[in-house]
């Protein structure tokens, strides 16, 4: 078994202390459950000299309902606890239940899944394999072997929680040296497989914030080769708000695992507004959702198959919402 490289482990007692350690140790990595970071370190994808653990920081776990019906979810909340809590927004619990396996959900955290590293068949290999085949952009090389004529890394976003959180307009609270700030989850991600997160190196993601549902219903569907363990090769989150007569007044469709960041499909969303979720309306939205999506061959199963599955999974997701 590949061993972890040597590193210094630091365990702050508060969020503020965690920020101070990040400032004092440039290039340090944050770890909570370690289900993504440690395998990447074993493969020598990343080699942080310092790792800062957040498990001992109080106030970063739990699901709390606010007076207005909104929900606060600590970034260190275990996925298994998010799934089990009656106070969790249903779509987030649904998406969390699709992550990996029971063993990993008992260690993985909400913040860790939101910030999970992008994945690609050319980087998620052993160091010997990568060296023999030629290093890619994400590995310190000068070429993206998936899109050699491109200028950037196209490793794909592999978070299950991200599309679901974007679909329900969730926000995250970040704490850094200058204080805290909130941004929409949709603004947390950049379309770059390397520089993937809109978060400074000395900031800590503290909590996920979900507003009152106000009639918004959402669902999440995940495609992967096996029914457990695997990362998504397509994730579809859909959310709608309807009037009393069933006519859609608001809609979101968010794709995961097709690009370096989750992707919304505005034309498909707009096609639902003013209509009931009838089969023909759903079919049109599914076709419009598939049209702009261009998965690349950097994940399990081929890009053509993954594109075909976009309309299938959008149809399934909207069908769920039509029947509830």
């Amino acid at each position: 078994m590949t061993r972890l490289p040597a590193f210094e482990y630091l365990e702050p007692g508060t969020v503020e202390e965690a920020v101070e350690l990040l400032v004092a140790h440039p290039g340090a990595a944050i770890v909570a459950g370690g289900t993504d970071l440690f395998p990447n370190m074993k493969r020598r994808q990343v080699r942080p000299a310092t790792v800062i653990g957040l498990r001992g920081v109080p106030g970063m776990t739990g699901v709390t309902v606010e007076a207005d019906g909104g929900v606060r979810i600590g970034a260190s909340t275990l996925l298994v606890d998010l799934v089990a809590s009656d106070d969790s927004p249903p779509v987030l619990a649904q998406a969390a239940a699709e992550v990996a396996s029971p063993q990993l959900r008992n260690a993985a955290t909400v913040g860790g899944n939101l910030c999970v590293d992008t994945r690609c068949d050319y980087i998620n290999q052993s160091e010997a394999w990568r060296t023999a085949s030629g290093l890619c952009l994400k590995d310190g090389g000068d070429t993206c072997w998936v899109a050699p004529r491109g200028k950037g890394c196209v490793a794909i976003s592999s978070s299950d929680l991200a599309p679901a959180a974007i679909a329900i307009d969730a926000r995250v609270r970040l704490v850094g040296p200058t204080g805290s700030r909130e941004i929409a989850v949709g603004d947390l991600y950049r379309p770059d497989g390397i520089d993937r997160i809109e978060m400074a190196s000395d900031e800590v993601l503290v909590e996920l914030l979900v507003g009152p549902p106000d009639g918004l219903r959402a669902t999440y569907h995940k495609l992967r080769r096996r029914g457990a363990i695997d990362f998504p090769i397509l994730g579809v989150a859909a959310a709608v708000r309807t009037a009393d007569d069933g006519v859609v007044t608001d809609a979101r469709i968010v794709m995961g695992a097709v690009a370096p960041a989750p992707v919304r499909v505005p034309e498909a969303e707009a096609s639902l507004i003013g209509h009931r979720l009838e089969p023909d309306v759903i079919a049109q939205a599914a076709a419009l959702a598939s049209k702009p999506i261009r998965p690349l061959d950097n994940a399990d199963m081929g890009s053509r198959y993954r594109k075909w599955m976009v309309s299938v999974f959008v149809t399934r997701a909207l069908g769920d919402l039509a029947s509830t």
Side-chain angles (χ1 to χ4, degrees):
M1 179 181 292
T2 305
R3 296 180 180 273
L4 283 167
F7 62 91
E8 179 184 20
Y9 181 76
L10 303 175
E11 195 168 76
T14 64
V15 173
E16 290 72 24
E17 186 179 345
V19 172
E20 291 173 1
L21 290 174
L22 287 171
V23 172
H25 298 273
I30 290 176
V31 68
T35 57
D36 185 56
L37 176 66
F38 290 150
N40 288 349
M41 289 175 64
K42 287 182 177 182
R43 289 189 294 262
R44 293 350 186 225
Q45 288 177 227
V46 291
R47 304 167 185 253
T50 304
V51 173
I52 299 171
L54 299 180
R55 278 294 177 87
V57 177
M60 287 187 62
T61 59
V63 180
T64 305
V65 178
E66 303 282 79
D68 64 356
V71 178
R72 290 180 177 267
I73 304 168
S76 292
T77 302
L78 298 179
L79 296 184
V80 67
D81 293 332
L82 180 65
V83 174
S85 175
D86 292 335
D87 295 327
S88 296
V91 70
L92 294 182
Q94 182 186 11
E98 293 288 323
V99 175
S101 66
Q103 296 92 330
L104 292 173
R105 290 194 294 273
N106 272 288
T109 64
V110 169
N113 190 262
L114 288 172
C115 296
V116 71
D117 199 4
T118 53
R119 296 185 63 80
C120 177
D121 283 347
Y122 284 89
I123 185 68
N124 295 105
Q125 305 285 349
S126 69
E127 185 177 28
W129 186 98
R130 302 193 321 267
T131 301
S133 64
L135 301 181
C136 68
L137 287 175
K138 193 174 173 67
D139 209 20
D142 58 6
T143 302
C144 172
W145 296 115
V146 180
R149 296 182 181 180
K151 297 181 180 180
C153 172
V154 293
I156 58 175
S157 172
S158 297
S159 168
D160 286 297
L161 288 183
I166 293 170
I168 58 174
D169 285 341
R171 303 178 66 81
V172 289
R173 185 165 73 90
L174 309 174
V175 175
T178 60
S180 68
R181 64 188 179 106
E182 292 183 12
I183 63 171
V185 175
D187 294 331
L188 182 63
Y189 304 100
R190 295 170 174 159
D192 187 312
I194 299 172
D195 189 16
R196 69 191 194 285
I197 296 286
E198 189 65 44
M199 187 166 70
S201 61
D202 53 10
E203 285 186 309
V204 177
L205 195 158
V206 174
E207 58 187 353
L208 176 65
L209 309 171
V210 182
D214 192 26
L216 190 70
R217 298 176 289 112
T219 188
Y220 177 73
H221 281 249
K222 174 178 180 173
L223 173 66
R224 52 185 166 182
R225 183 179 291 274
R226 298 174 291 183
I229 306 294
D230 295 339
F231 282 91
I233 55 176
L234 173 66
V236 174
V240 297
R241 184 178 285 113
T242 56
D244 292 341
D245 60 0
V247 171
V248 175
T249 59
D250 191 10
R252 301 92 190 264
I253 301 174
V254 189
M255 307 289 173
V258 295
V263 178
R264 285 186 66 173
V265 280
E267 287 188 17
E269 295 172 351
S271 73
L272 296 171
I273 307 299
H275 304 280
R276 295 183 178 87
L277 291 175
E278 302 290 351
D280 59 330
V281 173
I282 292 175
Q284 181 185 25
L288 289 170
S290 177
K291 188 175 181 180
I293 302 301
R294 298 287 185 271
L296 295 174
D297 279 320
N298 58 350
D300 189 22
M301 300 190 182
S303 59
R304 184 174 298 178
Y305 174 76
R306 290 162 62 212
K307 181 175 177 62
W308 286 342
M309 289 298 102
V310 169
S311 61
V312 173
F313 274 63
V314 171
T315 299
R316 292 177 182 176
L318 294 177
D320 282 355
L321 299 177
S323 62
T324 57

